[in-house]
Amino acid sequence: MIDRHFLRQNPKTVKASLVDRGDDPGKVDQFLVLDRQWRDDLKKVELLRREKNQLSAGSKPNATQLRQAKAIAKQEGVLTKRISALESELEEILLSIPNLIDESVPRGAGESANKVIKTVGRPSVKSGLAHHELMTQLGWLDLKTAAHCSGSRFRYLLGDAAVAHWRLMSEALTLARKRGFSPVIPPSVTRYLTLQGAGFFPTYKEDVFKLENEDRYLTGTSEQTLLALSAAKHYLPDELPVRYVGFSTCYRREAGSYGKDVEGMFRQHQFDKVELVSVTRPEDSAKELDYLVQTQEQFVKLLALPYQLVSVGSGDLGQSASKKIDIETWFPSQQRYRETHSASNCTDYQARRLNIKLKRSDPQSEFAHTLNATLATERLLIAAVENSQRSDGSVKLPKLLR
């Protein structure tokens, strides 16, 4: 959530950020109108309470004073109710406004502004069969049975692919620990407020599976529950950064991706993921983003996969991200690079919602910065499969996954 005081004082800046994201700048005007009314009503209530206190001061009130006090109480009740309604409307608007975009982010609609920073490695397999074709004929993947018992976008990983999957996740966790991240296996079920605090609700509510008749949801990434470990905490400067690496099974409805990547494992309702989360001092978050990306690159290089590093444009950023860097790995079957990793600097956007603060030596405290990054998902496994295929349809996986 952005700072409402900043929004009052810098409406043009917030509007420009919304426009660059392809969002509605009218939210700012709507907020300012309601905010002005809210503050005016608060002043009116304060004046009424002073007047009421003056009437009750001193000797026993007479009939006229009692009538005045009753009228004041009625006015105060009406205003208090309106203030409560205004607060709800203001919070709804604030929750819908995404993070401010970092100055270094390329501007443009959708993916059009995404900028390739560098390309690493050359594809040795220029084209070939898709991962699901290779894996099915090798007995490594059963999509048919998964569709029968669970529905579309689910999978059975079998044999060597199952082993490779475990190795992939294990090696990612090992690297993360070497890089200073504390391992966590978090819950895969959480509550509305956790998802709201992480910046996913209400914007991405349609992409989340909900347990019927309960305030419980299946997590789409362990980022959400890893951040909850720091909620309402006040850190001293020398306690940061805090770094977590989480392994979890993730669930996504993929509500906005109808017709996209319908074959194979590229876009699934259920998948396993190793996620990195950092909490830092504000002045260190830019450097921490570099550290996260370096960790991701180190892991992709262990698999000898060709990839490109991409600075994500303003129209393709997530709600919480101020800046986002993607790794896109080469997929021979598509003859193009596809996203396998993301790393985001969310500045104080999530910390403000979750009340994660930094307490310096002076009496004032400030909000910390939070960041997140993908280290391994099954997309990386299928990229390894496609890039390890031979002309006869066999696959020799990287040694790390065997």
Side-chain angles (χ1 to χ4, degrees), residues 4-17:
R4 65 169 61 199
H5 301 294
F6 181 91
L7 178 52
R8 288 178 191 139
Q9 297 167 8
N10 303 275
K12 290 183 179 179
T13 301
V14 179
K15 281 186 176 182
S17 183

Side-chain angles (χ1 to χ4, degrees), residues 76-91:
E76 184 183 349
V78 171
L79 284 169
T80 301
K81 188 175 181 180
R82 191 163 74 187
I83 287 169
S84 179
L86 285 168
E87 286 174 345
S88 295
E89 289 184 72
L90 287 168
E91 182 179 20

Side-chain angles (χ1 to χ4, degrees), residues 20 101-108 113-115 311-315 317:
D20 286 339
I101 302 171
D102 188 86
E103 292 180 357
S104 65
V105 172
R107 266 54 175 180
N114 291 0
K115 183 180 178 181
S311 179
V312 176
S314 60
L317 291 172

Side-chain angles (χ1 to χ4, degrees), residues 168 303 305 329-331 379-389 395-398 401:
L168 181 73
L303 298 170
L305 295 173
T329 306
W330 177 256
F331 278 80
R379 281 193 186 178
L380 199 56
L381 172 63
I382 62 176
V385 168
E386 289 202 12
N387 283 279
S388 302
Q389 64 181 290
V395 172
K396 186 178 182 180
L397 289 168
L401 303 183

Side-chain angles (χ1 to χ4, degrees), residues 28-95:
V28 174
D29 295 324
Q30 186 183 4
F31 173 87
L32 293 175
V33 169
L34 294 175
D35 182 61
R36 192 175 299 112
Q37 186 179 348
W38 174 72
R39 285 185 288 163
D40 288 345
D41 284 351
L42 284 175
K43 290 177 183 177
K44 291 175 184 177
V45 167
E46 181 61 29
L47 290 173
L48 288 171
R49 287 174 179 169
R50 287 181 188 175
E51 189 177 348
K52 186 169 64 175
N53 290 337
Q54 289 172 356
L55 287 172
S56 62
S59 59
K60 184 178 179 180
N62 57 37
T64 300
Q65 290 174 322
L66 287 172
R67 285 195 299 271
Q68 289 176 330
K70 187 176 180 180
I72 289 170
K74 185 177 180 181
Q75 292 178 61
E76 184 183 349
V78 171
L79 284 169
T80 301
K81 188 175 181 180
R82 191 163 74 187
I83 287 169
S84 179
L86 285 168
E87 286 174 345
S88 295
E89 289 184 72
L90 287 168
E91 182 179 20
E92 185 178 346
I93 296 170
L94 282 172
L95 289 172

